[in-house]
Amino acid sequence: MKIKELETPCLLIDREIMMDNIRRMQLYADKYNVNLRPHTKTHKMPALAKLQEQVGAKGITVAKVGEAEVMAENGLNDIFIANQIVGEGKLSTIKKLAESIDISFGVDSIEQCKMIEKVFSDSQKQAQVLIEIEVGENRSGIIEESDFVLLVDYIKNCSHVNLLGIFSHDGHTYKAKDLDECRILYNDAQIRTLHFARLAEEQGCKLETVSIGSTPPLMHDFGVMEGITELRVGTYILMDVAQGNAIGTYSNCAASVLTTVISKPTKERVITDVGAKGLTMQTRSGGICATTGLGYIKDFDHVYVNQVYDEHAIIYNETFRNTVEIGQKVEIIPNHICPVCNLYDNGYLISGDEVVEDIPILCRGKLQ
């Protein structure tokens, strides 16, 4: 099938660009002799996760227990859930998965560990956990050294919880005003993460894993400090407008949304058949990842989606309006690809103008 024969809107993935992205990040990890554990919440496709492992990834990262279940069902057997998992139901699911795969997950409180100890009390395997360290994103994770020391001490005395390592996410690098600031934020995050690793060692815990990750700094060769063992990075495989802005080109963007021009009601307005339900309304307001509009029209310089309704994209550009015809199909590169993948049942892998594979997005909607 030719791309232009596809019904719209639909998600396209350029095979050659994607594979180049996969290989490039694996070479980066190999250069610094660290493991690569891609965050598959970006694409939510076991088929792509397997490609990442085939190229050299140690295992994969997911965001939710439901994603872990689907990935395990489809042959992925080394999974880290980079999130605090709370609740007996979810913890029981992890306990069951641990019978057949290597699975670990995040913690950042004694209260959470008490729940884990209870649920795993009848398990032959200990729960494998990593403590999250807050490094500047102002999200979850340990902030105070005293809290970290107490948590490590608590886990050391648990019968059913094992401290595998620590992890951090320098997501605030997305908002860096320039690459110099991005480098500083990234290095500061590594230094802080390594400091907590040393604190754990001082308490008698030799950590197997010290994991970091965020796409913007890892698209540039800022280096990896000694003591870091693992990179968790997600968006690099498909890229998007925000990441393209961070590196100064959209040529690495493998994913796009194919959409059809359905109306040209004024001399400058164009309407296509994808809206918020296929693009989201996400933007990034500042820093190296700052976006313009709600998506970039591929192959048309400085043409962006200006507005979206549920099922309509609105573009105001007279030159674009005079170039395209009713019924013509164009591609939109999303501002943020991760939530966009979650909106589609499948992604079409393309090469040139041919569709080469229809890949189901099996983790779509796995939000629990």
PDB file of all heavy atoms in Angstrom, residues 310-344:
ATOM      1  N   ASP A 310     -11.831  19.292  18.436  1.00  0.00           N
ATOM      2  CA  ASP A 310     -11.722  17.849  18.647  1.00  0.00           C
ATOM      3  C   ASP A 310     -11.264  17.121  17.392  1.00  0.00           C
ATOM      4  O   ASP A 310     -10.420  16.231  17.449  1.00  0.00           O
ATOM      5  CB  ASP A 310     -13.077  17.271  19.094  1.00  0.00           C
ATOM      6  CG  ASP A 310     -13.359  17.535  20.560  1.00  0.00           C
ATOM      7  OD1 ASP A 310     -12.460  18.043  21.260  1.00  0.00           O
ATOM      8  OD2 ASP A 310     -14.489  17.241  20.999  1.00  0.00           O
ATOM      9  N   GLU A 311     -11.841  17.474  16.237  1.00  0.00           N
ATOM     10  CA  GLU A 311     -11.581  16.741  14.997  1.00  0.00           C
ATOM     11  C   GLU A 311     -11.059  17.615  13.865  1.00  0.00           C
ATOM     12  O   GLU A 311     -11.037  17.187  12.714  1.00  0.00           O
ATOM     13  CB  GLU A 311     -12.869  16.030  14.523  1.00  0.00           C
ATOM     14  CG  GLU A 311     -13.584  15.202  15.577  1.00  0.00           C
ATOM     15  CD  GLU A 311     -12.799  13.966  16.014  1.00  0.00           C
ATOM     16  OE1 GLU A 311     -11.760  13.680  15.411  1.00  0.00           O
ATOM     17  OE2 GLU A 311     -13.242  13.296  16.978  1.00  0.00           O
ATOM     18  N   HIS A 312     -10.642  18.825  14.169  1.00  0.00           N
ATOM     19  CA  HIS A 312     -10.190  19.748  13.125  1.00  0.00           C
ATOM     20  C   HIS A 312      -8.889  20.425  13.522  1.00  0.00           C
ATOM     21  O   HIS A 312      -8.737  20.872  14.669  1.00  0.00           O
ATOM     22  CB  HIS A 312     -11.223  20.845  12.867  1.00  0.00           C
ATOM     23  CG  HIS A 312     -12.545  20.346  12.381  1.00  0.00           C
ATOM     24  ND1 HIS A 312     -13.492  19.797  13.230  1.00  0.00           N
ATOM     25  CD2 HIS A 312     -13.088  20.304  11.135  1.00  0.00           C
ATOM     26  CE1 HIS A 312     -14.557  19.454  12.518  1.00  0.00           C
ATOM     27  NE2 HIS A 312     -14.334  19.743  11.244  1.00  0.00           N
ATOM     28  N   ALA A 313      -7.961  20.507  12.579  1.00  0.00           N
ATOM     29  CA  ALA A 313      -6.766  21.339  12.732  1.00  0.00           C
ATOM     30  C   ALA A 313      -6.946  22.579  11.870  1.00  0.00           C
ATOM     31  O   ALA A 313      -7.355  22.482  10.702  1.00  0.00           O
ATOM     32  CB  ALA A 313      -5.522  20.576  12.301  1.00  0.00           C
ATOM     33  N   ILE A 314      -6.667  23.738  12.438  1.00  0.00           N
ATOM     34  CA  ILE A 314      -6.830  25.007  11.745  1.00  0.00           C
ATOM     35  C   ILE A 314      -5.449  25.597  11.483  1.00  0.00           C
ATOM     36  O   ILE A 314      -4.653  25.782  12.409  1.00  0.00           O
ATOM     37  CB  ILE A 314      -7.658  26.007  12.577  1.00  0.00           C
ATOM     38  CG1 ILE A 314      -8.874  25.318  13.219  1.00  0.00           C
ATOM     39  CG2 ILE A 314      -8.053  27.203  11.727  1.00  0.00           C
ATOM     40  CD1 ILE A 314      -9.873  24.773  12.250  1.00  0.00           C
ATOM     41  N   ILE A 315      -5.186  25.908  10.217  1.00  0.00           N
ATOM     42  CA  ILE A 315      -3.905  26.471   9.806  1.00  0.00           C
ATOM     43  C   ILE A 315      -4.169  27.783   9.086  1.00  0.00           C
ATOM     44  O   ILE A 315      -4.960  27.823   8.123  1.00  0.00           O
ATOM     45  CB  ILE A 315      -3.144  25.505   8.873  1.00  0.00           C
ATOM     46  CG1 ILE A 315      -2.925  24.159   9.585  1.00  0.00           C
ATOM     47  CG2 ILE A 315      -1.822  26.109   8.408  1.00  0.00           C
ATOM     48  CD1 ILE A 315      -2.778  22.998   8.654  1.00  0.00           C
ATOM     49  N   TYR A 316      -3.527  28.849   9.540  1.00  0.00           N
ATOM     50  CA  TYR A 316      -3.651  30.152   8.885  1.00  0.00           C
ATOM     51  C   TYR A 316      -2.338  30.465   8.174  1.00  0.00           C
ATOM     52  O   TYR A 316      -1.352  30.862   8.795  1.00  0.00           O
ATOM     53  CB  TYR A 316      -3.967  31.241   9.916  1.00  0.00           C
ATOM     54  CG  TYR A 316      -5.371  31.171  10.468  1.00  0.00           C
ATOM     55  CD1 TYR A 316      -5.612  30.559  11.702  1.00  0.00           C
ATOM     56  CD2 TYR A 316      -6.441  31.704   9.767  1.00  0.00           C
ATOM     57  CE1 TYR A 316      -6.899  30.489  12.222  1.00  0.00           C
ATOM     58  CE2 TYR A 316      -7.728  31.634  10.278  1.00  0.00           C
ATOM     59  CZ  TYR A 316      -7.950  31.031  11.496  1.00  0.00           C
ATOM     60  OH  TYR A 316      -9.233  30.967  12.000  1.00  0.00           O
ATOM     61  N   ASN A 317      -2.320  30.273   6.873  1.00  0.00           N
ATOM     62  CA  ASN A 317      -1.134  30.569   6.081  1.00  0.00           C
ATOM     63  C   ASN A 317      -1.541  30.647   4.615  1.00  0.00           C
ATOM     64  O   ASN A 317      -1.896  29.638   4.011  1.00  0.00           O
ATOM     65  CB  ASN A 317      -0.067  29.490   6.301  1.00  0.00           C
ATOM     66  CG  ASN A 317       1.250  29.829   5.645  1.00  0.00           C
ATOM     67  OD1 ASN A 317       1.358  29.838   4.428  1.00  0.00           O
ATOM     68  ND2 ASN A 317       2.255  30.110   6.469  1.00  0.00           N
ATOM     69  N   GLU A 318      -1.483  31.846   4.062  1.00  0.00           N
ATOM     70  CA  GLU A 318      -1.985  32.050   2.701  1.00  0.00           C
ATOM     71  C   GLU A 318      -1.177  31.271   1.672  1.00  0.00           C
ATOM     72  O   GLU A 318      -1.739  30.678   0.741  1.00  0.00           O
ATOM     73  CB  GLU A 318      -1.971  33.537   2.355  1.00  0.00           C
ATOM     74  CG  GLU A 318      -2.618  33.855   1.009  1.00  0.00           C
ATOM     75  CD  GLU A 318      -2.775  35.345   0.773  1.00  0.00           C
ATOM     76  OE1 GLU A 318      -2.484  36.136   1.701  1.00  0.00           O
ATOM     77  OE2 GLU A 318      -3.200  35.719  -0.340  1.00  0.00           O
ATOM     78  N   THR A 319       0.130  31.237   1.831  1.00  0.00           N
ATOM     79  CA  THR A 319       0.967  30.504   0.883  1.00  0.00           C
ATOM     80  C   THR A 319       0.636  29.013   0.925  1.00  0.00           C
ATOM     81  O   THR A 319       0.502  28.355  -0.122  1.00  0.00           O
ATOM     82  CB  THR A 319       2.454  30.721   1.204  1.00  0.00           C
ATOM     83  OG1 THR A 319       2.754  32.114   1.132  1.00  0.00           O
ATOM     84  CG2 THR A 319       3.344  29.965   0.235  1.00  0.00           C
ATOM     85  N   PHE A 320       0.505  28.484   2.126  1.00  0.00           N
ATOM     86  CA  PHE A 320       0.146  27.069   2.277  1.00  0.00           C
ATOM     87  C   PHE A 320      -1.228  26.819   1.677  1.00  0.00           C
ATOM     88  O   PHE A 320      -1.429  25.826   0.954  1.00  0.00           O
ATOM     89  CB  PHE A 320       0.165  26.713   3.758  1.00  0.00           C
ATOM     90  CG  PHE A 320      -0.219  25.289   4.058  1.00  0.00           C
ATOM     91  CD1 PHE A 320       0.586  24.233   3.700  1.00  0.00           C
ATOM     92  CD2 PHE A 320      -1.414  25.014   4.725  1.00  0.00           C
ATOM     93  CE1 PHE A 320       0.237  22.922   3.997  1.00  0.00           C
ATOM     94  CE2 PHE A 320      -1.778  23.707   5.022  1.00  0.00           C
ATOM     95  CZ  PHE A 320      -0.950  22.659   4.655  1.00  0.00           C
ATOM     96  N   ARG A 321      -2.151  27.713   1.941  1.00  0.00           N
ATOM     97  CA  ARG A 321      -3.523  27.565   1.428  1.00  0.00           C
ATOM     98  C   ARG A 321      -3.535  27.513  -0.099  1.00  0.00           C
ATOM     99  O   ARG A 321      -4.283  26.739  -0.708  1.00  0.00           O
ATOM    100  CB  ARG A 321      -4.366  28.735   1.931  1.00  0.00           C
ATOM    101  CG  ARG A 321      -5.871  28.561   1.706  1.00  0.00           C
ATOM    102  CD  ARG A 321      -6.326  29.317   0.488  1.00  0.00           C
ATOM    103  NE  ARG A 321      -7.787  29.225   0.338  1.00  0.00           N
ATOM    104  CZ  ARG A 321      -8.402  29.277  -0.825  1.00  0.00           C
ATOM    105  NH1 ARG A 321      -7.697  29.407  -1.946  1.00  0.00           N
ATOM    106  NH2 ARG A 321      -9.702  29.186  -0.883  1.00  0.00           N
ATOM    107  N   ASN A 322      -2.677  28.306  -0.735  1.00  0.00           N
ATOM    108  CA  ASN A 322      -2.632  28.343  -2.202  1.00  0.00           C
ATOM    109  C   ASN A 322      -1.839  27.186  -2.789  1.00  0.00           C
ATOM    110  O   ASN A 322      -1.890  26.952  -4.005  1.00  0.00           O
ATOM    111  CB  ASN A 322      -2.031  29.669  -2.663  1.00  0.00           C
ATOM    112  CG  ASN A 322      -2.939  30.854  -2.359  1.00  0.00           C
ATOM    113  OD1 ASN A 322      -4.156  30.696  -2.232  1.00  0.00           O
ATOM    114  ND2 ASN A 322      -2.359  32.028  -2.223  1.00  0.00           N
ATOM    115  N   THR A 323      -1.108  26.465  -1.940  1.00  0.00           N
ATOM    116  CA  THR A 323      -0.287  25.357  -2.408  1.00  0.00           C
ATOM    117  C   THR A 323      -1.037  24.029  -2.371  1.00  0.00           C
ATOM    118  O   THR A 323      -0.874  23.189  -3.255  1.00  0.00           O
ATOM    119  CB  THR A 323       0.988  25.230  -1.537  1.00  0.00           C
ATOM    120  OG1 THR A 323       1.718  26.449  -1.604  1.00  0.00           O
ATOM    121  CG2 THR A 323       1.873  24.086  -2.006  1.00  0.00           C
ATOM    122  N   VAL A 324      -1.865  23.833  -1.345  1.00  0.00           N
ATOM    123  CA  VAL A 324      -2.535  22.547  -1.170  1.00  0.00           C
ATOM    124  C   VAL A 324      -3.928  22.554  -1.784  1.00  0.00           C
ATOM    125  O   VAL A 324      -4.544  23.609  -1.954  1.00  0.00           O
ATOM    126  CB  VAL A 324      -2.628  22.163   0.324  1.00  0.00           C
ATOM    127  CG1 VAL A 324      -1.237  22.010   0.905  1.00  0.00           C
ATOM    128  CG2 VAL A 324      -3.433  23.191   1.114  1.00  0.00           C
ATOM    129  N   GLU A 325      -4.408  21.358  -2.105  1.00  0.00           N
ATOM    130  CA  GLU A 325      -5.731  21.176  -2.687  1.00  0.00           C
ATOM    131  C   GLU A 325      -6.631  20.413  -1.715  1.00  0.00           C
ATOM    132  O   GLU A 325      -6.145  19.668  -0.860  1.00  0.00           O
ATOM    133  CB  GLU A 325      -5.634  20.393  -4.006  1.00  0.00           C
ATOM    134  CG  GLU A 325      -4.737  21.028  -5.059  1.00  0.00           C
ATOM    135  CD  GLU A 325      -5.308  22.336  -5.588  1.00  0.00           C
ATOM    136  OE1 GLU A 325      -6.537  22.521  -5.519  1.00  0.00           O
ATOM    137  OE2 GLU A 325      -4.513  23.175  -6.070  1.00  0.00           O
ATOM    138  N   ILE A 326      -7.934  20.598  -1.871  1.00  0.00           N
ATOM    139  CA  ILE A 326      -8.878  19.798  -1.102  1.00  0.00           C
ATOM    140  C   ILE A 326      -8.632  18.322  -1.428  1.00  0.00           C
ATOM    141  O   ILE A 326      -8.525  17.940  -2.598  1.00  0.00           O
ATOM    142  CB  ILE A 326     -10.338  20.171  -1.441  1.00  0.00           C
ATOM    143  CG1 ILE A 326     -10.613  21.639  -1.134  1.00  0.00           C
ATOM    144  CG2 ILE A 326     -11.309  19.254  -0.698  1.00  0.00           C
ATOM    145  CD1 ILE A 326     -10.585  21.983   0.329  1.00  0.00           C
ATOM    146  N   GLY A 327      -8.520  17.496  -0.399  1.00  0.00           N
ATOM    147  CA  GLY A 327      -8.250  16.077  -0.594  1.00  0.00           C
ATOM    148  C   GLY A 327      -6.776  15.722  -0.523  1.00  0.00           C
ATOM    149  O   GLY A 327      -6.428  14.540  -0.433  1.00  0.00           O
ATOM    150  N   GLN A 328      -5.900  16.720  -0.542  1.00  0.00           N
ATOM    151  CA  GLN A 328      -4.470  16.452  -0.446  1.00  0.00           C
ATOM    152  C   GLN A 328      -4.109  16.032   0.975  1.00  0.00           C
ATOM    153  O   GLN A 328      -4.662  16.539   1.953  1.00  0.00           O
ATOM    154  CB  GLN A 328      -3.669  17.695  -0.835  1.00  0.00           C
ATOM    155  CG  GLN A 328      -2.162  17.504  -0.842  1.00  0.00           C
ATOM    156  CD  GLN A 328      -1.427  18.713  -1.383  1.00  0.00           C
ATOM    157  OE1 GLN A 328      -1.990  19.512  -2.142  1.00  0.00           O
ATOM    158  NE2 GLN A 328      -0.178  18.874  -0.998  1.00  0.00           N
ATOM    159  N   LYS A 329      -3.171  15.105   1.081  1.00  0.00           N
ATOM    160  CA  LYS A 329      -2.738  14.631   2.393  1.00  0.00           C
ATOM    161  C   LYS A 329      -1.382  15.231   2.745  1.00  0.00           C
ATOM    162  O   LYS A 329      -0.475  15.270   1.903  1.00  0.00           O
ATOM    163  CB  LYS A 329      -2.681  13.101   2.425  1.00  0.00           C
ATOM    164  CG  LYS A 329      -4.065  12.473   2.280  1.00  0.00           C
ATOM    165  CD  LYS A 329      -4.029  10.971   2.174  1.00  0.00           C
ATOM    166  CE  LYS A 329      -5.450  10.412   2.006  1.00  0.00           C
ATOM    167  NZ  LYS A 329      -5.480   8.947   1.831  1.00  0.00           N
ATOM    168  N   VAL A 330      -1.276  15.710   3.973  1.00  0.00           N
ATOM    169  CA  VAL A 330      -0.034  16.297   4.467  1.00  0.00           C
ATOM    170  C   VAL A 330       0.307  15.644   5.796  1.00  0.00           C
ATOM    171  O   VAL A 330      -0.541  15.015   6.438  1.00  0.00           O
ATOM    172  CB  VAL A 330      -0.146  17.830   4.622  1.00  0.00           C
ATOM    173  CG1 VAL A 330      -0.405  18.491   3.277  1.00  0.00           C
ATOM    174  CG2 VAL A 330      -1.230  18.203   5.635  1.00  0.00           C
ATOM    175  N   GLU A 331       1.560  15.804   6.212  1.00  0.00           N
ATOM    176  CA  GLU A 331       2.011  15.231   7.477  1.00  0.00           C
ATOM    177  C   GLU A 331       2.264  16.327   8.506  1.00  0.00           C
ATOM    178  O   GLU A 331       2.831  17.366   8.182  1.00  0.00           O
ATOM    179  CB  GLU A 331       3.296  14.423   7.270  1.00  0.00           C
ATOM    180  CG  GLU A 331       3.121  13.206   6.378  1.00  0.00           C
ATOM    181  CD  GLU A 331       4.436  12.480   6.130  1.00  0.00           C
ATOM    182  OE1 GLU A 331       5.180  12.261   7.112  1.00  0.00           O
ATOM    183  OE2 GLU A 331       4.716  12.148   4.963  1.00  0.00           O
ATOM    184  N   ILE A 332       1.837  16.059   9.731  1.00  0.00           N
ATOM    185  CA  ILE A 332       2.070  16.975  10.843  1.00  0.00           C
ATOM    186  C   ILE A 332       2.998  16.284  11.841  1.00  0.00           C
ATOM    187  O   ILE A 332       2.711  15.173  12.296  1.00  0.00           O
ATOM    188  CB  ILE A 332       0.761  17.367  11.544  1.00  0.00           C
ATOM    189  CG1 ILE A 332      -0.194  18.062  10.567  1.00  0.00           C
ATOM    190  CG2 ILE A 332       1.052  18.266  12.751  1.00  0.00           C
ATOM    191  CD1 ILE A 332      -1.571  18.335  11.147  1.00  0.00           C
ATOM    192  N   ILE A 333       4.116  16.927  12.167  1.00  0.00           N
ATOM    193  CA  ILE A 333       4.982  16.422  13.225  1.00  0.00           C
ATOM    194  C   ILE A 333       4.449  16.948  14.549  1.00  0.00           C
ATOM    195  O   ILE A 333       4.356  18.158  14.748  1.00  0.00           O
ATOM    196  CB  ILE A 333       6.443  16.869  13.017  1.00  0.00           C
ATOM    197  CG1 ILE A 333       6.959  16.390  11.654  1.00  0.00           C
ATOM    198  CG2 ILE A 333       7.332  16.325  14.140  1.00  0.00           C
ATOM    199  CD1 ILE A 333       8.355  16.888  11.320  1.00  0.00           C
ATOM    200  N   PRO A 334       4.077  16.070  15.477  1.00  0.00           N
ATOM    201  CA  PRO A 334       3.497  16.519  16.752  1.00  0.00           C
ATOM    202  C   PRO A 334       4.514  17.248  17.629  1.00  0.00           C
ATOM    203  O   PRO A 334       5.713  16.989  17.550  1.00  0.00           O
ATOM    204  CB  PRO A 334       3.042  15.219  17.418  1.00  0.00           C
ATOM    205  CG  PRO A 334       2.988  14.210  16.321  1.00  0.00           C
ATOM    206  CD  PRO A 334       4.059  14.599  15.360  1.00  0.00           C
ATOM    207  N   ASN A 335       4.003  18.111  18.492  1.00  0.00           N
ATOM    208  CA  ASN A 335       4.866  18.775  19.470  1.00  0.00           C
ATOM    209  C   ASN A 335       5.458  17.787  20.463  1.00  0.00           C
ATOM    210  O   ASN A 335       6.611  17.903  20.863  1.00  0.00           O
ATOM    211  CB  ASN A 335       4.081  19.844  20.231  1.00  0.00           C
ATOM    212  CG  ASN A 335       3.858  21.093  19.404  1.00  0.00           C
ATOM    213  OD1 ASN A 335       4.510  21.311  18.393  1.00  0.00           O
ATOM    214  ND2 ASN A 335       2.920  21.920  19.844  1.00  0.00           N
ATOM    215  N   HIS A 336       4.641  16.820  20.900  1.00  0.00           N
ATOM    216  CA  HIS A 336       5.069  15.831  21.907  1.00  0.00           C
ATOM    217  C   HIS A 336       4.527  14.476  21.477  1.00  0.00           C
ATOM    218  O   HIS A 336       3.319  14.227  21.548  1.00  0.00           O
ATOM    219  CB  HIS A 336       4.544  16.226  23.291  1.00  0.00           C
ATOM    220  CG  HIS A 336       5.043  15.358  24.393  1.00  0.00           C
ATOM    221  ND1 HIS A 336       4.552  15.432  25.677  1.00  0.00           N
ATOM    222  CD2 HIS A 336       5.992  14.378  24.423  1.00  0.00           C
ATOM    223  CE1 HIS A 336       5.171  14.556  26.438  1.00  0.00           C
ATOM    224  NE2 HIS A 336       6.042  13.898  25.703  1.00  0.00           N
ATOM    225  N   ILE A 337       5.410  13.595  21.054  1.00  0.00           N
ATOM    226  CA  ILE A 337       4.974  12.345  20.439  1.00  0.00           C
ATOM    227  C   ILE A 337       4.406  11.347  21.439  1.00  0.00           C
ATOM    228  O   ILE A 337       3.536  10.536  21.086  1.00  0.00           O
ATOM    229  CB  ILE A 337       6.140  11.708  19.642  1.00  0.00           C
ATOM    230  CG1 ILE A 337       5.647  10.527  18.809  1.00  0.00           C
ATOM    231  CG2 ILE A 337       7.272  11.306  20.569  1.00  0.00           C
ATOM    232  CD1 ILE A 337       4.554  10.855  17.812  1.00  0.00           C
ATOM    233  N   CYS A 338       4.855  11.368  22.703  1.00  0.00           N
ATOM    234  CA  CYS A 338       4.438  10.331  23.655  1.00  0.00           C
ATOM    235  C   CYS A 338       2.917  10.241  23.823  1.00  0.00           C
ATOM    236  O   CYS A 338       2.347   9.150  23.678  1.00  0.00           O
ATOM    237  CB  CYS A 338       5.127  10.528  24.992  1.00  0.00           C
ATOM    238  SG  CYS A 338       6.927  10.523  24.904  1.00  0.00           S
ATOM    239  N   PRO A 339       2.212  11.341  24.139  1.00  0.00           N
ATOM    240  CA  PRO A 339       0.757  11.224  24.265  1.00  0.00           C
ATOM    241  C   PRO A 339       0.063  10.986  22.930  1.00  0.00           C
ATOM    242  O   PRO A 339      -1.036  10.422  22.901  1.00  0.00           O
ATOM    243  CB  PRO A 339       0.341  12.562  24.886  1.00  0.00           C
ATOM    244  CG  PRO A 339       1.422  13.511  24.527  1.00  0.00           C
ATOM    245  CD  PRO A 339       2.678  12.694  24.496  1.00  0.00           C
ATOM    246  N   VAL A 340       0.697  11.385  21.835  1.00  0.00           N
ATOM    247  CA  VAL A 340       0.085  11.165  20.517  1.00  0.00           C
ATOM    248  C   VAL A 340       0.023   9.673  20.204  1.00  0.00           C
ATOM    249  O   VAL A 340      -1.000   9.168  19.714  1.00  0.00           O
ATOM    250  CB  VAL A 340       0.842  11.938  19.422  1.00  0.00           C
ATOM    251  CG1 VAL A 340       0.357  11.529  18.028  1.00  0.00           C
ATOM    252  CG2 VAL A 340       0.648  13.445  19.606  1.00  0.00           C
ATOM    253  N   CYS A 341       1.087   8.940  20.487  1.00  0.00           N
ATOM    254  CA  CYS A 341       1.061   7.491  20.247  1.00  0.00           C
ATOM    255  C   CYS A 341      -0.073   6.820  21.010  1.00  0.00           C
ATOM    256  O   CYS A 341      -0.660   5.845  20.525  1.00  0.00           O
ATOM    257  CB  CYS A 341       2.394   6.867  20.647  1.00  0.00           C
ATOM    258  SG  CYS A 341       3.750   7.187  19.496  1.00  0.00           S
ATOM    259  N   ASN A 342      -0.386   7.346  22.183  1.00  0.00           N
ATOM    260  CA  ASN A 342      -1.447   6.764  23.003  1.00  0.00           C
ATOM    261  C   ASN A 342      -2.841   7.003  22.427  1.00  0.00           C
ATOM    262  O   ASN A 342      -3.819   6.455  22.922  1.00  0.00           O
ATOM    263  CB  ASN A 342      -1.375   7.344  24.426  1.00  0.00           C
ATOM    264  CG  ASN A 342      -2.232   6.581  25.401  1.00  0.00           C
ATOM    265  OD1 ASN A 342      -2.132   5.359  25.515  1.00  0.00           O
ATOM    266  ND2 ASN A 342      -3.106   7.295  26.105  1.00  0.00           N
ATOM    267  N   LEU A 343      -2.945   7.783  21.363  1.00  0.00           N
ATOM    268  CA  LEU A 343      -4.242   8.108  20.768  1.00  0.00           C
ATOM    269  C   LEU A 343      -4.607   7.185  19.602  1.00  0.00           C
ATOM    270  O   LEU A 343      -5.739   7.231  19.119  1.00  0.00           O
ATOM    271  CB  LEU A 343      -4.251   9.561  20.277  1.00  0.00           C
ATOM    272  CG  LEU A 343      -4.022  10.624  21.349  1.00  0.00           C
ATOM    273  CD1 LEU A 343      -3.912  12.005  20.707  1.00  0.00           C
ATOM    274  CD2 LEU A 343      -5.133  10.607  22.379  1.00  0.00           C
ATOM    275  N   TYR A 344      -3.672   6.366  19.154  1.00  0.00           N
ATOM    276  CA  TYR A 344      -3.895   5.551  17.955  1.00  0.00           C
ATOM    277  C   TYR A 344      -3.842   4.063  18.276  1.00  0.00           C
ATOM    278  O   TYR A 344      -3.106   3.628  19.159  1.00  0.00           O
ATOM    279  CB  TYR A 344      -2.842   5.892  16.883  1.00  0.00           C
ATOM    280  CG  TYR A 344      -3.023   7.284  16.330  1.00  0.00           C
ATOM    281  CD1 TYR A 344      -2.415   8.374  16.942  1.00  0.00           C
ATOM    282  CD2 TYR A 344      -3.827   7.517  15.216  1.00  0.00           C
ATOM    283  CE1 TYR A 344      -2.596   9.662  16.469  1.00  0.00           C
ATOM    284  CE2 TYR A 344      -4.014   8.801  14.727  1.00  0.00           C
ATOM    285  CZ  TYR A 344      -3.400   9.873  15.353  1.00  0.00           C
ATOM    286  OH  TYR A 344      -3.595  11.141  14.876  1.00  0.00           O
TER     287      TYR A 344
END
